[in-house]
Amino acid sequence: MAITQRSSWLTEDLDAFRELAHAFCQKELAPNQERWAAAKQIDRELWNKAGEVGLLCLSIPEEYGGGGGTFAHEAVLLEEQARAGDEAWGNAVHSGIVAHYVAGYGTEEQKRRWLPKLASGELVAAIAMTEPSTGSDLQNIKTRAIRDGDDYVINGAKTFITNGAQAGLVIVVAKTDPGEQAKGVSLIVVETEGAEGFRRGRVLDKVGMHGQDTSELFFDDVRVPVSNLLGGAEGLGFVQLMQQLPQERLLIGVTSVTAMEAAVEMTVRYTKERTAFGREIFGFQNTKFTLAECATEVAVSKAFLDQCIERHLRGELDVTGAAMVKWWTTDRLSRVADECLQLFGGYGYMSEYPISRVWTGARVGRIFGGTNEIMKEIISRTL
Ligand SMILES: Cc1cc2nc3c(=O)[nH]c(=O)nc-3n(C[C@H](O)[C@H](O)[C@H](O)COP(=O)(O)OP(=O)(O)OC[C@H]3O[C@@H](n4cnc5c(N)ncnc54)[C@H](O)[C@@H]3O)c2cc1C
């Protein structure tokens, strides 16, 4: 059963890479989901294992320890991760997001200092934007990084931070000029080991994605050298975020479409095995029509996603396009996951059935990476 066509951006090189990614995800991710969910985080060593086989920082230049690939490599790995039913490993944030802030805005010294450690798994990376009182309204963050001699002194609290429990490198979004709005925002790197005043809070209890260490982080007079500022000048943080968020949103799109396709496939299989009233569940017109609709939504979503990936590979995906693909794919995934779960009956509500994890995992897609309401706000500005 092929719901979608082969993505136009795939190549033979990427097919070969997929075999490696597939083998790793099936061996290292798939069997550990329940254990990681109970622990509320993955094994720390997974990062090192992934680094050893070259799966971290795939699209970072080789001279900094990365894979020298493109966004397409990140996308293939993410597809395989979603296919393996993984919802715990925060590599999209680590490799797909944080490493690109360092590569994009870091000085030569910063790149040489941090990127090889991110590529090997020696450091786990996180980005801390959201605060208890501010998420969508990023210009109004309260965290401060005030210059004192050759240091920044950071004070504030962050929440919902992916990789928060394991991160050794955190890009903190902070106000270097609290009197300003967007123009007062800077990105400052905190290396957490030995950082006095840095504290991790709880790993938060979530509705889904239980194996992911989404955490609170606290900064009380944390001192970092001014050389940890990304971008060479204060006040560039907001622009840097706006430039990088399209890639983050596209990554969310990749996961969403893959999860959607997997949901339809597992539901087709299940409804052909299960019987009621002396026939396959699949035989009822309602089941067939529902799955026909879902398959169509997958195909349409994937066609748009592929178009956006191609644009991104050419460096042409704009903020509006990324907002469109993010809201669309996460919204469709929520609907498809819900329809598919319904066709599993009571088993769909049991956490041991993968469809239930697709459903709970789907819900957050409409919230993180910028809520879907904010996506529509962004799109509407261009109309
Ligand atoms: C599992 C998970 C992982 C996350 N990982 C990270 C991470 O690694 N790093 C990080 O910094 N953050 C992370 N987040 C935070 C996430 O990005 C925020 O939750 C999100 O941006 C929304 O912010 P908020 O929760 O403060 O909601 P709010 O901003 O308070 O929004 C509440 C509601 O108001 C709506 N709203 C707000 N403003 C407008 C507007 N202008 N127009 C219309 N509606 C509006 C929103 O759409 C939403 O429906 C994560 C969140 C979760 C749940």
Side-chain angles (χ1 to χ4, degrees), residues 93 126-138 158-164 173 206 208-209 212 214 248 364 366-374 377 381:
V93 169
I127 181 158
M129 302 178 241
T130 308
E131 304 184 349
S133 60
T134 316
S136 307
D137 189 9
L138 258 183
K158 298 289 183 179
T159 193
F160 305 146
I161 307 306
T162 304
N163 298 338
V173 182
K206 302 188 292 297
M209 300 206 316
Q212 207 163 99
T214 316
E248 174 172 359
V364 77
R366 287 154 58 196
I367 298 168
F368 66 13
T371 67
N372 283 7
E373 293 71 38
I374 295 296
E377 193 51 47
R381 280 181 210 146

Side-chain angles (χ1 to χ4, degrees), residues 269-283:
R269 269 197 308 276
Y270 181 81
T271 55
K272 286 186 174 178
E273 284 162 11
R274 177 103 178 152
T275 55
F277 299 95
R279 61 198 295 200
E280 290 176 349
I281 302 279
F282 188 81

Side-chain angles (χ1 to χ4, degrees), residues 332-343 355 358-359 362:
R332 295 299 89 187
L333 170 60
S334 269
R335 198 190 91 79
V336 166
D338 196 67
E339 294 286 358
C340 287
L341 185 146
Q342 183 70 15
L343 294 174
I355 190 64
V358 177
W359 185 71

Side-chain angles (χ1 to χ4, degrees), residues 16-177:
F17 168 68
R18 185 185 295 279
E19 285 178 28
L20 169 74
H22 178 80
F24 182 86
C25 292
Q26 293 299 325
K27 177 164 176 260
E28 303 291 349
L29 307 183
N32 291 315
Q33 294 303 307
E34 280 179 33
R35 193 168 57 78
W36 289 342
K40 296 211 275 187
Q41 58 188 289
I42 62 168
D43 299 328
R44 173 63 182 82
E45 310 82 73
L46 179 74
W47 295 100
N48 306 79
K49 282 187 191 169
E52 272 161 33
V53 292
L55 286 178
L56 299 180
C57 299
L58 288 163
S59 53
I60 295 297
E62 282 171 288
E63 58 178 311
Y64 302 113
T70 67
F71 180 84
H73 292 85
E74 304 284 0
V76 167
L77 175 57
L78 211 46
E79 285 177 352
E80 289 305 318
Q81 195 182 340
R83 281 267 164 203
D86 177 73
E87 47 176 20
W89 187 30
N91 183 46
V93 169
H94 174 99
S95 297
I97 299 172
V98 178
H100 282 271
Y101 278 94
V102 178
Y105 309 114
T107 60
E108 195 55 30
E109 195 272 327
Q110 289 174 331
K111 289 193 260 191
R112 298 217 174 271
R113 184 154 127 227
W114 291 319
L115 289 173
K117 290 184 183 172
L118 295 181
S120 68
E122 186 181 336
L123 279 179
V124 175
I127 181 158
M129 302 178 241
T130 308
E131 304 184 349
S133 60
T134 316
S136 307
D137 189 9
L138 258 183
Q139 303 184 21
N140 278 314
I141 51 166
K142 295 199 171 64
T143 299
R144 307 276 185 258
I146 305 300
R147 192 161 175 170
D148 179 33
D150 289 338
D151 290 339
Y152 283 113
V153 182
I154 304 174
N155 279 288
K158 298 289 183 179
T159 193
F160 305 146
I161 307 306
T162 304
N163 298 338
Q166 300 189 346
L169 182 150
V170 182
I171 296 183
V172 180
V173 182
K175 283 268 174 87
T176 39
D177 184 350

Side-chain angles (χ1 to χ4, degrees), residues 145 147 152 176-177 183-186 226 229-237:
R147 192 161 175 170
Y152 283 113
T176 39
D177 184 350
K183 285 183 190 153
V185 175
S186 300
V226 287
L229 173 71
L230 274 187
E234 291 181 3
L236 301 178

